[in-house]
Amino acid sequence: MKNIPIAVQMYTLREESAQDFTGTLKKVAKLGFDGVEFAGYGGLTAKEVRALLDGFGLRAASSHVPLEEMENNLYQVIEDQKILGSSYVVCPYLHPDRRSLQDYKALTLFLEQAGETCRREGITLCYHNHDFELQRLSNGKTILEAIFDKTHSINVKTELDVYWLTKAGENPVEWMERYKKRTPLIHLKDMTTDGEQYFAELGTGGVDIEAVLHKGQENEVQWWVVEQDVCRRSPFESIEISMNYLKSVK
């Protein structure tokens, strides 16, 4: 735990970032985060964002980049990561109209090709899951398993999201073990135990975060990424609670 840096996914702070991108980064640094995972750059250039990161003592853990942007402008996406100092770019989400079986086959082919291009440029491509990729195919495997079965581990890594795995009835630690050579990034999220299965601050819900953290040491996880899709309190308060929990875990 002590050796793995902690980032916050900026989507958690999307409203705050829209109002004051620079001020939001500054507050993230003050809360003790080592870095950030981007979900957009606040209308700034990669060079401008890099200057802010350097000024606040933050690092770019990775960037969530829409699939369509990677499909249309992959080399610019890669160049941005180099400028930011990020080693990882993540395919974050599939829109509902791109979730047919044929869509998944096309996605897998694209990820393999894009991942190879990224690798040759010194960048690692990861795929971030939600719960819909945990649906079973006719052969009994999940869609997520099929994606990784059909791509090479050197080209396509995974950013496992422990909340969505848990919501789908899966054990995050078992998935980390299954893909232990492909898990440089892990999304840390907790889930309420009140029956709503809502997003919760780390250490306040039912996800076995400590087991995930322990497994991360074995898996050589490079970044823990704290994300809370929706917060019932101030997002800054929520991520502070999560950070304080992580600091308390020995």
Side-chain angles (χ1 to χ4, degrees):
M1 177 63 207
K2 294 179 181 178
N3 299 324
I4 301 175
I6 303 168
V8 64
Q9 165 52 252
M10 293 292 285
Y11 180 77
T12 308
L13 303 165
R14 55 196 176 277
E15 294 182 4
E16 292 73 14
S17 296
Q19 295 175 2
D20 183 2
F21 188 80
T22 299
T24 298
L25 287 177
K26 185 176 182 179
K27 288 182 180 179
V28 166
K30 286 185 175 180
L31 288 175
F33 285 90
D34 301 295
V36 296
E37 180 177 64
F38 288 104
Y41 307 125
L44 303 177
T45 66
K47 289 182 179 179
E48 290 170 333
V49 174
R50 177 61 185 269
L52 291 175
L53 293 177
D54 291 345
F56 297 138
L58 293 168
R59 287 183 282 160
S62 55
S63 295
H64 276 200
V65 176
L67 175 60
E68 294 78 8
E69 187 173 345
M70 283 197 277
E71 289 173 328
N72 296 327
N73 208 2
L74 182 60
Y75 282 99
Q76 184 60 56
V77 170
I78 292 171
E79 183 60 25
D80 285 345
Q81 303 319 300
K82 292 180 179 180
I83 293 170
L84 293 168
S86 167
S87 298
Y88 302 97
V89 61
V90 182
C91 178
Y93 180 74
L94 294 180
H95 292 289
D97 61 356
R98 298 194 65 169
R99 298 180 194 171
S100 71
L101 185 58
Q102 289 302 315
D103 287 328
Y104 284 121
K105 290 180 178 178
L107 170 69
T108 302
L109 179 60
F110 173 76
L111 290 176
E112 174 68 14
Q113 294 172 341
E116 182 176 4
T117 299
C118 287
R119 177 173 58 82
R120 289 177 176 175
E121 294 290 331
I123 303 297
T124 300
L125 175 64
C126 300
Y127 184 83
H128 169 269
N129 69 279
H130 290 75
D131 55 348
F132 54 82
E133 295 99 340
L134 280 303
Q135 295 176 27
R136 298 280 171 180
L137 299 169
S138 59
N139 62 5
K141 289 193 174 185
T142 65
I143 294 167
L144 193 59
E145 287 174 299
I147 289 172
F148 292 124
D149 284 351
K150 296 295 184 179
T151 55
H152 289 91
S153 60
I154 60 171
N155 291 332
V156 182
K157 308 292 185 182
T158 176
E159 181 177 53
L160 293 177
D161 186 303
V162 302
Y163 169 92
W164 290 114
L165 286 167
T166 303
K167 189 174 179 63
E170 301 286 336
N171 185 325
V173 173
E174 291 179 0
W175 277 79
M176 291 173 70
E177 173 62 25
R178 189 178 309 163
Y179 295 105
K180 58 185 175 182
K181 300 298 184 181
R182 301 177 81 162
T183 58
L185 308 173
I186 298 288
H187 262 202
L188 295 178
K189 297 183 189 177
D190 215 334
M191 179 189 293
T192 61
T193 57
D194 56 6
E196 292 187 35
Q197 294 186 316
Y198 205 69
F199 304 102
E201 291 78 16
L202 298 181
T204 69
V207 178
D208 192 348
I209 300 296
E210 286 196 37
V212 171
L213 297 174
H214 177 73
K215 191 64 179 176
Q217 295 284 0
E218 299 178 10
N219 280 30
E220 299 181 355
V221 169
Q222 298 301 302
W223 281 95
W224 299 119
V225 182
V226 175
E227 182 182 34
Q228 193 167 333
D229 299 43
V230 182
C231 304
R232 288 175 167 169
R233 48 170 55 89
S234 159
F236 280 119
E237 185 180 354
S238 289
I239 66 171
E240 183 174 12
I241 292 170
S242 292
M243 174 55 95
N244 287 338
Y245 167 78
L246 292 175
K247 289 177 179 177
S248 75
V249 178
K250 304 298 183 182

